[in-house]
């Protein structure tokens, strides 16, 4: 490859992103200065939070400006090293953005050992999404033996680990997913106790049947209609780690416009509920090392399973990302960039 390629934010989406909101550019391959590395991106992670960065809105992270390279984490190979701690060929996790090549000065890099686990797991089950599941469940959800834990987006990297960790803690795991194939995967492959299709016309009734003893922990990944079906089923003292609201990232959906805050507050009070939002990084200092140890061991001995959805080509990233916001991915969404 003689030129680098990158994808920038071309326009701010109005609701659902369009392919014209992204622009693929070619640039010269950069030259690393003393102390720097030139990285060649192998695998790029696509994550729901990136939708928020496209809006010009105050949030926990600074929004992208028009023309900025889309934010993203990647598995990359060191192509040139002017840094004593890295050799050419090393594989690292790096915040490169949506591009084929990136310079790095060693801040926020993590070396990956392909002998320990496939390197793509550093973007999913052993990476940020996996840690999100681990931290949210461990610090806020605290599932107890015999309790019922419910999670939506159950076949994705966060949801699939939430359910499996709940099972390992002795709880009953109920997944919510879009369509029969994902529900079957959650039950047969991930060994959830039950899985319910949120696209079914009688979804709230099916969820109630799948949770005969109510819900003790609801790990919130989605919001919207799924949250409305969960709320009446929450037990006294239920815990709700509020992790993500993907159903709302493109704006309010159909039927989401009614203000239900009063009824929600009544439920919070009368059932002594605990709802707590979180961003995974707040748990890193205390829990990241034990996460890598425990989940790494679970993957090595086969007790923890995961699925990846790998799409070829940086140019396919916008379409794949738009699809993820509609549930078209099946497992951790990764772009194979291949420089
Ligand atoms: N707080 C944090 O630090 C943190 C960190 C990472 C991720 N998150 C959040 O965790 C959630 C899951 O992330 P992930 O990386 O594991 O994503 P993911 O499951 O790979 O992908 C998103 C999934 O969400 C579901 N979905 C999308 N739109 C939906 C809608 N309108 N209604 C219902 N379901 C919808 C789809 O699954 P189905 O087809 O099964 O519905 C889709 O496959 C997201 O909300 C994300 O923002 C939070």
């Amino acid at each position: 490859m003689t030129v680098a390629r990158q994808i920038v934010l071309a326009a701010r989406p109005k609701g659902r992103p369009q392919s014209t909101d992204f622009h693929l550019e070619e640039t010269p391959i950069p030259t690393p200065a003393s102390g720097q590395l030139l990285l060649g991106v192998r695998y790029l992670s696509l994550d729901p939070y990136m939708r928020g960065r496209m809006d010009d809105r105050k949030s926990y992270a600074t929004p992208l400006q028009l023309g900025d390279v889309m934010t993203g984490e990647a598995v990359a190979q060191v192509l040139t090293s002017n840094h004593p701690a890295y050799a050419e060929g090393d594989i690292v996790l790096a915040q490169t953005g949506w591009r084929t090549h990136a310079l790095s000065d060693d801040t926020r890099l993590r070396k990956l050992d392909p002998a320990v686990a496939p390197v793509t797991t550093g973007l999913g089950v052993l990476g940020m999404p996996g840690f999100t599941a681990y931290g949210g469940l461990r610090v806020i959800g605290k599932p107890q033996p015999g309790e019922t834990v419910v999670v939506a987006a159950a076949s994705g990297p966060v949801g699939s680990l939430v359910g499996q960790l709940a099972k390992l803690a002795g709880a009953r795991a109920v997944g919510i997913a879009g369509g029969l194939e994902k529900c079957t995967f959650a039950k047969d492959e991930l060994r959830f106790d039950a899985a319910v299709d949120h696209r079914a016309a009688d979804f709230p009734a099916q969820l109630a049947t799948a949770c005969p003893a109510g819900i003790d922990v609801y790990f919130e990944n989605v919001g919207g209609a799924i949250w409305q079906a969960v709320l009446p089923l929450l037990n006294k003292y239920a815990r709700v780690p509020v992790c993500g609201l993907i159903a709302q990232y493109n704006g309010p959906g159909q039927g989401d416009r009614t203000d239900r805050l009063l009824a929600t507050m009544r439920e919070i009070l009368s059932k002594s509920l605990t709802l707590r939002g979180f961003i995974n990084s707040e748990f890193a200092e205390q829990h990241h090392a034990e996460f890598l140890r425990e989940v790494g061991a679970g993957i090595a001995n086969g007790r923890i399973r995961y699925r990846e959805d790998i799409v070829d080509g940086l140019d396919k990233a916008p379409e794949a990302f738009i699809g993820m916001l509609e549930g078209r991915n099946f497992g951790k969404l990764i772009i194979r960039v291949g420089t």
Side-chain angles (χ1 to χ4, degrees):
M1 193 178 274
T2 52
V3 291
R5 290 178 303 141
Q6 59 188 29
I7 294 180
V8 301
L9 178 66
R12 296 207 186 276
K14 295 182 178 62
R16 177 188 186 269
Q18 309 293 316
S19 52
T20 47
D21 297 332
F22 305 88
H23 180 60
L24 179 68
E25 293 179 345
E26 290 193 346
T27 64
I29 294 177
T31 307
S34 171
Q36 283 191 325
L37 309 167
L38 173 64
L39 302 176
V41 174
R42 297 286 178 257
Y43 297 98
L44 169 69
S45 179
L46 295 184
D47 295 275
Y49 76 83
M50 295 166 178
R51 176 64 186 84
R53 301 284 201 283
M54 299 173 81
D55 290 333
D56 191 11
R57 187 161 31 86
K58 197 164 174 248
S59 182
Y60 64 94
T62 320
L64 290 165
Q65 298 304 310
L66 293 179
D68 283 354
V69 175
M70 290 290 297
T71 322
E73 192 174 32
V75 172
Q77 189 160 22
V78 177
L79 300 180
T80 310
S81 175
N82 292 337
H83 192 291
Y86 296 89
E88 281 172 27
D90 280 352
I91 306 285
V92 294
L93 265 185
Q95 295 291 336
T96 61
W98 295 21
R99 50 176 28 137
T100 56
H101 296 78
L103 291 179
S104 169
D105 55 8
D106 180 32
T107 52
R108 299 178 69 194
L109 289 189
R110 196 177 108 210
K111 272 194 201 180
L112 294 176
D113 182 353
V116 171
V119 291
T120 48
T121 58
L123 302 174
V125 65
L126 279 175
M128 182 278 284
F131 181 60
T132 301
Y134 184 91
L137 204 58
R138 172 131 208 173
V139 178
I140 306 170
K142 299 191 179 92
Q144 303 301 309
E147 287 191 332
T148 297
V149 176
V150 173
V151 64
S155 65
V158 176
S160 59
L161 190 56
V162 166
Q164 293 181 90
L165 292 175
K167 292 284 297 172
L168 290 172
R172 194 167 168 272
V174 177
I176 298 170
L180 180 64
E181 210 186 349
K182 288 182 178 180
C183 288
T184 304
F185 171 75
K187 274 190 297 189
D188 295 355
E189 184 67 19
L190 303 176
R191 294 168 284 199
F192 282 45
D193 296 282
V196 185
D197 180 359
H198 67 82
R199 295 198 203 129
D202 62 343
F203 162 68
Q206 285 195 31
L207 184 64
T209 306
C211 303
I215 299 172
D216 302 293
V217 179
Y218 173 57
F219 195 101
E220 174 63 294
N221 276 338
V222 171
I226 293 181
W227 166 241
Q228 294 308 326
V230 164
L231 185 58
L233 302 177
L234 291 174
N235 289 333
K236 191 159 191 195
Y237 302 123
R239 287 85 66 201
V240 182
V242 182
C243 170
L245 300 167
I246 194 166
Q248 303 172 196
Y249 292 173
N250 285 339
Q254 287 222 316
D256 284 348
R257 291 179 194 275
T258 321
D259 184 353
R260 298 188 180 91
L261 188 60
L262 297 181
T264 305
M265 293 301 283
R266 195 169 54 236
E267 293 279 305
I268 292 172
L269 174 63
S270 63
K271 291 182 182 168
S272 308
L273 303 178
T274 301
L275 282 79
R276 180 183 157 188
F278 72 97
I279 303 298
N280 65 84
S281 50
E282 67 198 73
F283 305 136
E285 200 177 328
Q286 218 182 338
H287 295 288
H288 198 259
E290 70 191 26
F291 154 71
L292 286 179
R293 205 168 46 245
E294 283 179 33
V295 177
I299 289 168
N301 66 26
R303 293 180 79 187
I304 292 178
R305 299 177 179 178
Y306 62 95
R307 180 178 171 119
E308 295 173 337
D309 184 345
I310 300 185
V311 175
D312 272 309
L314 182 67
D315 56 322
K316 300 291 190 307
E319 212 42 57
F321 176 69
I322 293 166
M324 176 178 61
L325 298 171
E326 295 165 356
R328 271 187 271 137
N329 65 309
F330 189 174
K332 169 62 205 160
L333 185 58
I334 293 171
I335 299 292
R336 186 185 284 113
V337 176
T339 38

